[in-house]
Amino acid sequence: GSNSNTGTREKPFATLEFAKKVVNTFKNEVNDDMTIVLLGGNYFLNKPVKFTVADQLPNDHKWIIMGEEGEEAVINGGKLVTHWEETELNGIKIFRAYLPDAKYIRTFYVDGEGQNLASKWKVAKADRPKFGWIPFTDMNSFEVRFHELGEIHNPKQLEVIWNPEWKICMYRAESISPGNIINMNRKYFKRLTTTIKAYMYKTQADINGYWWPNPGRHGIYIQNDINLITDPGDFCFDEEAKYLYYYPKDGKNPAEHECIYSNIDYLIDIS
């Protein structure tokens, strides 16, 4: 399609956002629901499709966005990755692609199958206490006692995943200090540890008598650094150099497959 077309089946528009803009120009002339029909294919969005009170149709009529009958239309919050080059990382021959417009990449799909954001040390319960905890830094640092962190490529994009009770908390690091200590980005991390300070405990005990965060009770691992890529299917985006690294499964050349990374956080904004 093309946004210079008339918007008919024979001469369709190219983007959902433009079709919505055109529909808005007719909304006061047509006393009915307004329908946008998508032909089969991927509709890649650069930003969420936004609906505000200005888009409200008269007489409580509805917006309908639907696929053409018998065809699969996908509203896609991703972008295609097509320009790959071979490289070596951590002694492994892998692929990378330069993505200068990407800010961060949380998910990555090859032929519709989600790949693994590079992670390390999904620690067994018996080993979790070895992580340690440094309370004198305002509950904002912890020590990893059984793996070396010196090879972390970019501490500022390193993420710590903690599973305290029924929650899954993801926090970004700030730096790595000598002694294998991860210092957290406090504005994200401190919320999890505020309970300790509020009750004036100088140990790691919370009001229920558990350590909080308690490595013995709560799962913990780190992710999102290119040097954590070790297994086929792992990927990671270097946010500074703007390269997406991918260790393909089964020796696949990603250039011969449909590769899509997530480009926006959500598809529809109703505000």
Side-chain angles (χ1 to χ4, degrees):
S2 168
N3 286 342
S4 61
N5 281 345
T6 54
T8 63
R9 269 185 176 80
E10 294 73 26
K11 294 185 177 182
F13 297 133
T15 66
L16 174 58
E17 188 65 39
F18 187 80
K20 174 180 166 293
K21 180 179 178 181
V22 171
V23 168
N24 254 328
T25 66
F26 290 99
K27 70 179 184 181
N28 292 318
E29 300 176 22
V30 180
N31 187 27
D32 203 347
D33 295 338
M34 302 296 273
T35 302
I36 297 173
V37 179
L38 304 178
L39 299 176
N42 269 304
Y43 293 81
F44 293 102
L45 304 181
N46 290 318
K47 59 183 180 180
V49 178
K50 189 168 186 175
F51 288 88
T52 70
V53 67
D55 299 306
Q56 185 169 345
L57 300 178
N59 300 316
D60 291 330
H61 286 300
K62 300 179 181 66
W63 283 84
I64 301 171
I65 301 173
M66 59 185 291
E68 176 71 288
E69 185 176 355
E71 299 186 18
E72 184 178 65
V74 179
I75 299 174
N76 200 316
K79 276 194 172 183
L80 284 168
V81 185
T82 55
H83 297 93
W84 294 94
E85 62 183 23
E86 287 193 63
T87 187
E88 186 171 303
L89 182 70
N90 306 330
I92 305 169
K93 289 186 178 181
I94 62 174
F95 291 83
R96 71 177 186 176
Y98 182 56
L99 303 173
D101 297 328
K103 183 179 180 181
Y104 57 85
I105 295 178
R106 309 272 346 135
T107 52
F108 175 61
Y109 298 86
V110 178
D111 293 337
E113 180 184 359
Q115 306 301 298
N116 308 314
L117 179 59
S119 64
K120 197 73 172 175
W121 317 323
K122 294 187 177 181
V123 184
K125 188 172 183 179
D127 290 332
R128 290 175 196 159
K130 297 178 184 177
F131 262 85
W133 187 248
I134 313 296
F136 52 80
T137 57
D138 198 16
M139 299 298 178
N140 202 51
S141 302
F142 66 90
E143 179 184 359
V144 178
R145 298 174 180 165
F146 63 110
H147 282 288
E148 284 298 322
L149 298 174
E151 295 182 356
I152 293 298
H153 176 71
N154 182 7
K156 286 186 178 293
Q157 75 172 65
L158 184 68
E159 295 168 350
V160 175
I161 308 299
W162 221 306
N163 303 136
E165 309 303 338
W166 47 269
K167 297 177 287 294
I168 298 176
C169 301
M170 180 180 73
Y171 295 95
R172 286 222 161 182
E174 177 65 30
S175 62
I176 295 175
S177 297
N180 247 22
I181 293 175
I182 298 179
N183 306 297
M184 304 306 298
N185 187 326
R186 186 171 299 176
K187 64 181 178 180
Y188 297 112
F189 192 74
K190 193 177 178 183
R191 293 187 62 160
L192 185 61
T193 60
T194 302
T195 305
I196 307 169
K197 190 172 183 181
Y199 288 94
M200 303 304 291
Y201 280 97
K202 295 182 180 179
T203 67
Q204 294 135 309
D206 70 4
I207 56 174
N208 297 311
Y210 305 134
W211 285 10
W212 189 270
N214 179 358
R217 289 175 53 86
H218 310 138
I220 185 172
Y221 59 98
I222 61 176
Q223 67 178 23
N224 201 37
D225 188 80
I226 64 172
N227 282 337
L228 301 179
I229 295 176
T230 55
D231 300 313
D234 285 353
F235 76 92
C236 188
F237 179 61
D238 184 338
E239 296 173 8
E240 289 185 339
K242 300 295 184 179
Y243 276 101
L244 172 65
Y245 290 84
Y246 174 53
Y247 185 5
K249 294 180 179 178
D250 305 321
K252 293 179 179 179
N253 183 340
E256 300 172 0
H257 299 267
E258 183 187 66
C259 299
I260 298 176
Y261 74 90
S262 54
N263 179 48
I264 56 178
D265 293 327
Y266 50 96
L267 302 179
I268 305 272
D269 176 6
I270 302 175
S271 58

